[in-house]
């Protein structure tokens, strides 16, 4: 298999030459805030654990209790024998919290999107997708075989133009956008997108991986826009919720369709009881501690205010640096001061927009945010 290894080595060398080769580092998360990496203890601004729930005692206890009661794994796909009682409880809980008729839980956010989109649209249909939508929305869209039209980031006027020109030529139409954009931290204009979609019978779907537990009072991006109708609200349990799993909140009919058609639900093992138990306990905390929920965005806004940037709309703040080498260098400088901010490079973000992406947690001390802002200001100087 000489050709195989030669291929892999050449590919790696080409990526390394562009500062685009990635390697895994061992990360030991100590307390939801600090990470030990390469023998150093760093304050992390690169975890999506916005509420510090991965290490919350009640969440960990719920995971352990779920293992004791239901075992370490689900044992099968949900439609066979893997549908343990905790999953049904979690679905009811999510639907109630999000204000939808029903919910369906998948084994991850990525798997959710890859299952949902092809269950709704196919070759005769149209998908409109924001150019900065998450990789797994793209994966679902491509798998569906629908005609794909990309619109400029958050450009609802262009969406209206496309719908006017194209909608009549297709059977069904679906618009895909992040609710909170994962690498930019801004919100989709769901009020305007919702109005256009309603007018043209186009189904609006948000990927709100970074919204649940953080914006809309913890209910997600759709709840930032009171009049908006978002019939398909997808998200993950792996970020603010601190566990693992993806979900769709929607009408009962749509959820019933997912449970009989979504291939990533049918042909993949159900979530382990521990993950579901942890998610349920985390949702208890999210529902009962509004101050914790408000904290990540307030901290992000403290950071943007210190740097004279537009106010953060979520818990995510990017600092664009341009080329990948510059982002790597900036991350090294921050690391020397005890901060972990992983550089984000293409293809995760468009070419020429390599950046540091800061994710703020309810647990970050305000004094450390001020110190970080000072260090970032010094980078630019
Ligand atoms: C992280 C993320 C996902 C994937 O969720 P997982 O549960 O980690 O697979 C999907 N969409 C967006 C926008 C994300 O940021």
């Amino acid at each position: 298999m000489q050709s195989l290894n030669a291929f892999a080595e050449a590919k790696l060398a080409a990526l390394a030459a562009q500062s685009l080769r990635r390697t895994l580092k061992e990360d030991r998360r100590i307390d939801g805030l600090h990470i030990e990496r390469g023998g150093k203890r760093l304050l992390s601004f690169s975890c999506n654990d916005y509420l510090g729930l991965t290490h919350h005692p009640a969440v960990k206890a719920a995971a352990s209790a779920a293992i004791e009661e239901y075992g370490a794994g689900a044992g099968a796909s949900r439609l066979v024998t893997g549908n343990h009682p905790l999953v049904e409880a979690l679905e009811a809980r999510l639907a109630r919290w999000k204000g939808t008729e029903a919910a369906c839980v998948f084994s991850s956010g990525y798997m959710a999107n890859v299952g949902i989109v092809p269950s709704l649209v196919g070759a005769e249909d149209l998908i409109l997708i924001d150019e900065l939508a998450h990789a797994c929305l793209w994966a679902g869209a491509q798998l569906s075989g629908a005609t794909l039209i990309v619109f400029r980031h958050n450009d609802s006027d262009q969406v209206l133009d496309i719908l006017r020109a194209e909608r009549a030529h297709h059977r069904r139409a679906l618009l895909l956008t992040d609710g909170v954009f994962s690498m930019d931290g801004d919100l989709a204009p769901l009020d305007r997108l919702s109005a256009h979609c309603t007018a043209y019978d186009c189904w609006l779907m948000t990927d709100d991986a970074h919204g649940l537990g953080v914006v809309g009072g913890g209910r997600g991006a759709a709840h930032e826009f009171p009049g908006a109708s978002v019939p398909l609200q997808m998200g993950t349990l792996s970020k603010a919720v601190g566990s693992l799993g993806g979900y769709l909140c929607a009408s009962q009919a749509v959820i019933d369709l997912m449970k009989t058609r979504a291939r990533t639900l049918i042909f993949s093992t159900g979530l382990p009881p521990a993950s579901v138990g942890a998610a349920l306990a985390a949702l208890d905390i999210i529902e009962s501690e509004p101050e914790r929920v408000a904290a990540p965005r307030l901290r992000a806004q403290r950071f943007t205010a210190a740097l004279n940037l537009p106010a953060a709309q979520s818990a995510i703040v990017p600092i664009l640096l341009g080329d990948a080498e510059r982002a790597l260098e900036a991350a090294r400088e921050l690391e020397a001061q005890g901060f972990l901010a992983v550089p984000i490079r293409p293809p995760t973000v468009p070419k020429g927009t390599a950046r540091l992406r800061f994710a703020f947690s309810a647990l970050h001390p305000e004094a450390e945010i001020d110190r970080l802002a000072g260090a970032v200001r010094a980078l630019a100087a």
Side-chain angles (χ1 to χ4, degrees):
M1 286 299 110
Q2 222 177 336
S3 63
L4 175 60
N5 289 334
F7 156 73
E9 282 161 14
K11 191 86 192 170
L12 288 169
L15 288 168
Q18 302 167 70
S19 295
L20 296 181
R21 176 161 178 192
R22 296 152 186 241
T23 52
L24 290 166
K25 308 204 177 41
E26 185 173 282
D27 295 311
R28 189 179 178 84
R29 297 187 69 225
I30 300 167
D31 54 9
L33 206 52
H34 295 90
I35 286 193
E36 264 174 29
R37 193 182 247 210
K40 267 193 270 181
R41 179 186 151 100
L42 301 167
L43 180 63
S44 175
F45 287 90
S46 289
C47 298
N48 299 316
D49 184 12
Y50 299 114
L51 303 175
L53 296 182
T54 59
H55 285 64
H56 191 289
V59 176
K60 293 201 290 186
S64 302
I67 289 177
E68 286 308 317
E69 187 156 3
Y70 299 106
S77 130
R78 292 184 61 193
L79 282 162
V80 181
T81 55
N83 199 38
H84 51 88
L86 292 176
V87 202
E88 298 267 334
L90 178 59
E91 290 179 338
R93 188 61 176 278
L94 282 166
R96 200 185 72 208
W97 179 237
K98 303 270 305 168
T100 58
E101 281 176 17
C104 177
V105 166
F106 296 78
S107 48
S108 74
Y110 198 109
M111 296 272 267
N113 280 339
V114 168
I116 296 162
V117 178
S119 304
L120 295 173
V121 291
E124 295 170 51
D125 305 321
L126 174 66
I127 289 178
L128 276 67
I129 186 168
D130 187 289
E131 61 183 337
L132 298 185
H134 191 266
C136 57
L137 278 177
W138 285 91
Q142 279 156 356
L143 198 59
S144 75
T147 300
L148 203 56
I149 300 185
V150 184
F151 59 91
R152 283 184 300 272
H153 177 51
N154 277 350
D155 190 339
S156 56
D157 292 338
Q158 193 191 4
V159 164
L160 183 57
D161 290 343
I162 295 169
L163 286 171
R164 269 197 194 117
E166 299 294 332
R167 177 65 187 93
H169 306 307
H170 299 272
R171 184 180 55 171
R172 300 190 283 262
L174 176 67
L175 187 145
L176 302 176
T177 181
D178 290 19
V180 173
F181 282 84
S182 59
M183 295 298 139
D184 294 80
D186 52 346
L187 300 175
L190 295 177
D191 46 355
R192 295 193 298 277
L193 292 176
S194 154
H196 299 336
C197 285
T198 304
Y200 284 86
D201 189 25
C202 174
W203 306 330
L204 176 57
M205 173 166 166
T206 50
D207 176 338
D208 208 25
H210 298 275
L212 184 71
V214 179
V215 302
R219 290 179 158 84
H223 292 261
E224 293 270 319
F225 301 91
S229 152
V230 184
L232 299 158
Q233 297 180 47
M234 171 273 165
T236 179
L237 306 168
S238 66
K239 284 160 185 165
V241 178
S243 181
L244 180 71
Y247 66 83
L248 176 67
C249 286
S251 67
Q252 188 68 54
V254 167
I255 295 305
D256 290 347
L257 178 68
M258 290 304 142
K259 289 180 180 171
T260 188
R261 294 294 290 180
R263 296 176 67 83
T264 51
L265 182 118
I266 300 171
F267 296 107
S268 189
T269 299
L271 277 174
S275 302
V276 182
L280 278 164
L283 286 168
D284 280 341
I285 295 167
I286 290 171
E287 288 191 34
S288 61
E289 297 185 23
E291 283 181 15
R292 183 190 290 264
V293 166
R297 177 156 61 179
L298 288 173
R299 280 163 172 69
Q301 288 170 345
R302 185 181 180 95
F303 179 74
T304 48
L307 291 170
N308 290 318
L309 296 170
Q313 294 174 33
S314 70
I316 301 164
V317 180
I319 301 281
L320 268 65
L321 293 163
D323 63 85
E325 187 45 50
R326 183 135 181 260
L328 289 167
E329 179 56 35
R332 278 192 291 267
E333 280 178 40
L334 292 183
E335 188 172 318
Q337 297 173 63
F339 300 122
L340 178 64
V342 175
I344 309 285
R345 295 171 277 168
T348 306
V349 291
K351 240 183 149 158
T353 72
R355 66 195 66 185
L356 295 180
R357 169 189 180 273
F358 298 95
F360 291 89
S361 153
L363 304 185
H364 281 131
E366 292 188 338
E368 287 295 314
I369 292 170
D370 298 344
R371 195 167 73 84
L372 175 71
V376 170
R377 207 178 301 114
L379 283 179

